[in-house]
Amino acid sequence: MIWFLRDIDLLSVLARAATLAFEALLLGGVAFLLAVVRPARASGTVEDLCRRGIRMAALAFVVGQLALITFSGAILMSGSDLTFKDVTTTGFFRADFFAILFAIGLWSCARFKSNKATVALFPLSLLLLAATVSTSHAAARIDHRVLLAILTAAHHLGTAVWIGAMAYLLISLGRVEDSNEARQLTQRYSRMALIGAATLVLAGVGMAWFYVGSWSGMYTTAYGIMLVAKIFLLLAMITLGAGNWFLVRRLACDPEPLLVRLRRVVEAEVCLGFLAVLTAASLTAQAPAIDVNAQDRLTSHEIYVRLHPETPRMSSPPLTALAAPSSLAEAVQDSQFVATVGSDDIDRAWSEYNHHWAGLIVLIAGLLALLSRYRTMRWARFWPLTFAGLAVFILLRADPENWPLGPRPFWQSFAAPDVLQHRVGALLIVVFAAFECAVQAGKLKARWASYVFPAMCALGAALLLTHEHSAKDVKESMLAELSHTPVALLGITAGCSRWLDLRLPRSRMASIASYLWPVCLALVGIVLLNYRELP
């Protein structure tokens, strides 16, 4: 109950992200079936796989929509006198309800291979697209509503055709009967993805024109900051996609090794694509930049004061200077109804000190990982051990009102949600450090074990992108986003480049990836070393 009450906004964003991702998979599967699989006369195995994927995406979309209706309804009822019956009369409830019906229709049609059932997938997909667009920012606008709805629909469609369909290509390449079938599928998908990417980008530029309104809106509002993060991910995808486009052109010469390389790069591209969808879900939770008042926007001076380089704070204020801790019962009671309690300058200085030491540890880990690339410095491959020190630091210093610094007992303090979050995080870091050390030392040789590090990087970065700060101080929340968003983007880049480092056969791209992820790790440390809460 504590977690539900505290993080219902986060749960709503995650449910929105899930429905957007499953919508892309659902519509992308239909596009892949109608524009790639059937025209290419692919084998029955590939077509069955595609239809199964559509059915699974449809069911997952229904579950995501039900969760979204539940969370949105709970938020609406908690802030008003509305009853559940009143909620069922709202526009978002009806739109989500019809979206569920259309998804069930797609699931039903995907079960049959008849021409009528296959053709019916197309209009049902358009109806589902219309239902989801009717709950977007476009539907709430007074000016340019129709134009924005068309741009939003084109943006969703481009996402599905490019990113959603890519997942089906990746799975299909592992099931094809021969290289000729693989070449036909990739060439048809390549042409379709090119149109999808162009549609997505052009529609996105048009939406940004109306929703942001000015260049300053890109860095003075939370909407603009998240939009920059999304642009970064799209540029990374376009870079990988351009490499794949050239690979597809060469498949006629030597298909087998090129197909292996193509699948590995597509894996990273799919990961980036769905992280971009997650960022889009965070955007839907923000007011468009053009609607943010001047007093709620950051100024260039405020950004400079918070972000300009300063000497890291490596010593903390005295423990006795911190505000006297409340009882544990009061802390738990407050956590059920208050998202974030206020803090004074001493608390902020303590927080800066924690971030700066964490940054130093991550910087050292990144530099050691970079040195371990060289044969004469193989000892540096034990860089994950530095994270064990980070876990101990979090346990001892993250919550000064608890054991061993404060009066609250160790075991009882687990009832406080913030303390539980920190300690679970510390435990995960210890497990990760031991795990990755065993991988680096060659003691754990299972292939899947080496994928834990990039997966954790991507997952942690994804959670950071959805993390919402206190709404009490809008500017303080945006300043926190300015420091956390680069960390998330660097984490995503580190995770994807490590994945390519492990998965790609020996090549120039694999070599670049092997140096890129340690550099990103070190840059995360530098960003944390410059983290500021005090003006």
Side-chain angles (χ1 to χ4, degrees), residues 267-314:
E267 290 169 357
E269 198 176 346
V270 168
C271 176
L272 287 171
F274 283 97
L275 286 171
V277 172
L278 181 64
T279 310
S282 295
L283 268 179
T284 62
Q286 307 287 342
I290 199 167
D291 294 335
V292 178
N293 297 324
Q295 60 268 25
D296 289 333
R297 292 179 176 231
L298 294 174
T299 65
S300 299
H301 177 71
E302 288 170 332
I303 296 173
Y304 171 77
V305 168
R306 182 58 63 91
L307 296 183
H308 78 278
E310 281 190 1
T311 305
R313 185 189 298 275
M314 308 311 289

Side-chain angles (χ1 to χ4, degrees), residues 65-78 80-94 96-97 100:
Q65 282 291 100
L66 289 173
L68 189 60
I69 290 176
T70 302
F71 297 139
S72 300
I75 292 173
L76 192 59
M77 287 190 290
S78 66
S80 65
D81 296 328
L82 294 178
T83 62
F84 178 73
K85 185 178 179 181
D86 298 326
V87 171
T88 59
T89 63
T90 59
F92 86 84
F93 186 93
R94 290 175 177 173
D96 288 344
F97 178 75
I100 289 173

Side-chain angles (χ1 to χ4, degrees), residues 213-265:
S214 65
W215 285 110
S216 63
M218 297 292 285
Y219 57 88
T220 60
T221 64
Y223 188 93
I225 294 167
M226 295 306 298
L227 184 58
V228 170
K230 191 178 172 187
I231 291 172
F232 175 89
L233 294 173
L234 286 176
L235 288 176
M237 281 190 67
I238 289 172
T239 303
L240 292 178
N244 287 341
W245 191 83
F246 287 110
L247 278 179
V248 170
R249 305 279 84 75
R250 295 164 50 197
L251 282 178
C253 306
D254 190 12
E256 294 299 334
L258 290 177
L259 279 173
V260 173
R261 189 174 162 188
L262 180 68
R263 288 181 60 190
R264 302 297 178 250
V265 179

